[in-house]
Amino acid sequence: TRSLAVFFVWLFGFSWTAILQTFLRPRLKCIDGELCLITGAGGALGRLFALEFAKEGAHLVLWDCNAAANEQTARLVRELGVRVHTYTVDLSKRQSIYETANRVRTEVGHVSILVNNAGVVAGRRLLDCPDELLERTLLVNCHALFWMTKAFLPRMKEQNHGHIVTVASALGLFSTACVEDYCASKFGAVGFHESLTHELIAEDLNGIKTTLVCPYIVDTGMFAGCEIRKELRSIIPPLEPLYTVQQSMKAILAEQQMICIPRLMYIPFLARALLPWEANVATYRFMGGDKCMLPFIKNIEMKTSNGHTKLC
């Protein structure tokens, strides 16, 4: 029928546009003067995001549960001449988020760019992991996205202007063994982000953009010890934090809906959907995915026994 033909033409057009945007240099938007809130700003990625947004002229609101690390990020940002405000927030507590969001609106203004970057992992085998650590991973990595969005999206809707960035993970697109809490939380983050994006499109709020960031393992120490098959480590090494953030920033400023870093991560994402389960398992085991997290978990266990584990 004619309507079906129009649909396929429309589908092809959007697909081709997306491919071109991926490989060609798109026009980047100006965010000078925008108010950007970054969670997990005291960590490696959060600090780099803060510096990159500052270079683009955005004013910053930095959230982290580690006040000292957050202030260190703020000092680096202020050296660039950018206005910055810091808040100590426990993202696992809904009330803490809502109360701090009210303070931000009163003391600073209305957030127009929200970067949900904070993330944690328990680093324990499922049956050995205390329930409170499992819950914390889900609260920080997934539930907090709901609360952050409910706190700051209403004003974006009023103005039909804003940008919501979800820093998820490649492990939100396909899974691996022994990090059930992290994979579940990141799958939830991806699902939340996609559903929210569909809602904004359905409401014709084309002034509110969303970007989903799905990086491979980033060399921040969060997954220290994680190793895939030896022969493949040079092909898929852990990502440099600065490279990860710079690629993410390009996608954000280009208003790209989703980015996998590196692009090679699109392959297992597509394979998971297209290949039989058995074929995916065989590939996964060949790459060493079934055992890659065991050295990481052993590192966490050693730190725990030495009293070095941090909750925040």
Side-chain angles (χ1 to χ4, degrees):
T1 65
R2 181 179 177 183
S3 60
L4 190 59
V6 170
F7 168 75
F8 280 112
V9 170
W10 174 82
L11 187 63
F12 176 80
F14 275 102
S15 299
W16 184 245
T17 300
I19 292 171
L20 289 176
Q21 287 179 341
T22 300
F23 292 99
L24 299 180
R25 179 175 293 180
R27 177 184 296 177
L28 304 182
K29 69 178 179 180
C30 175
I31 58 170
D32 185 51
E34 300 278 357
L35 184 59
C36 173
L37 189 155
I38 302 170
T39 65
L45 290 184
R47 180 166 298 162
L48 290 170
F49 268 119
L51 291 170
E52 291 298 316
F53 274 102
K55 291 174 185 176
E56 296 294 328
H59 302 305
L60 296 177
V61 175
L62 306 180
W63 284 20
D64 202 281
C65 61
N66 186 324
N70 206 24
E71 286 299 333
Q72 186 176 350
T73 300
R75 284 196 296 272
L76 294 172
V77 169
R78 290 187 181 108
E79 290 177 1
L80 299 177
V82 171
R83 180 163 57 93
V84 56
H85 296 78
T86 59
Y87 294 86
T88 303
V89 189
D90 184 348
L91 292 179
S92 69
K93 297 180 179 178
R94 181 178 66 248
Q95 199 57 36
S96 176
I97 290 175
Y98 288 155
E99 289 175 356
T100 310
N102 285 332
R103 286 183 57 199
V104 169
R105 282 189 290 268
T106 302
E107 299 170 6
V108 187
H110 294 286
V111 170
S112 56
I113 302 176
L114 175 61
V115 183
N116 288 309
N117 163 75
V120 297
V121 61
R124 312 279 185 87
R125 298 289 291 268
L126 176 62
L127 298 183
D128 298 329
C129 187
D131 290 345
E132 56 268 23
L133 290 184
L134 293 173
E135 289 175 346
R136 181 174 177 78
T137 302
L138 291 166
L139 288 168
V140 173
N141 296 2
C142 184
H143 294 193
L145 303 181
F146 291 79
W147 306 328
M148 294 293 296
T149 303
K150 290 184 70 176
F152 296 106
L153 181 59
R155 180 65 175 186
M156 294 184 189
K157 281 190 169 186
E158 287 178 12
Q159 299 183 330
N160 190 22
H161 175 75
H163 201 138
I164 297 176
V165 179
T166 302
V167 181
S169 169
L171 292 180
L173 304 174
F174 52 87
S175 58
T176 191
C178 303
V179 281
E180 290 87 350
D181 63 318
Y182 190 80
C183 289
S185 69
K186 292 302 184 179
F187 266 79
V190 170
F192 168 81
H193 181 96
E194 290 184 350
S195 181
L196 175 64
T197 301
H198 285 303
E199 178 178 329
L200 295 172
I201 293 172
E203 295 179 358
D204 292 323
L205 291 167
N206 54 11
I208 304 176
K209 309 300 180 180
T210 64
T211 299
L212 175 65
V213 180
C214 294
Y216 177 61
I217 301 299
V218 185
D219 190 16
T220 61
M222 185 175 185
F223 286 99
C226 174
E227 295 179 342
I228 59 173
R229 184 172 180 150
K230 185 176 181 180
E231 295 84 351
L232 299 175
R233 291 173 198 168
S234 61
I235 301 174
I236 320 175
L239 296 170
E240 289 294 327
L242 181 58
Y243 172 79
T244 304
V245 170
Q246 288 176 338
Q247 293 300 305
S248 301
M249 285 298 297
K250 289 179 182 178
I252 294 165
L253 297 178
E255 297 181 343
Q256 185 175 327
Q257 285 84 1
M258 176 184 179
I259 181 171
C260 288
I261 310 170
R263 289 175 180 162
L264 194 61
M265 289 298 104
Y266 287 106
I267 296 176
F269 172 48
L270 294 172
R272 182 178 182 272
L274 299 175
L275 296 181
W277 170 256
E278 292 80 5
N280 278 305
V281 170
T283 304
Y284 167 74
R285 297 187 69 178
F286 171 78
M287 296 181 67
D290 55 335
K291 298 179 180 179
C292 68
M293 288 293 175
L294 295 181
F296 156 66
I297 291 173
K298 187 175 181 179
N299 283 345
I300 294 294
E301 290 173 347
M302 291 178 61
K303 289 181 180 179
T304 301
S305 64
N306 294 330
H308 292 159
T309 299
K310 297 188 297 180
L311 284 177
C312 193

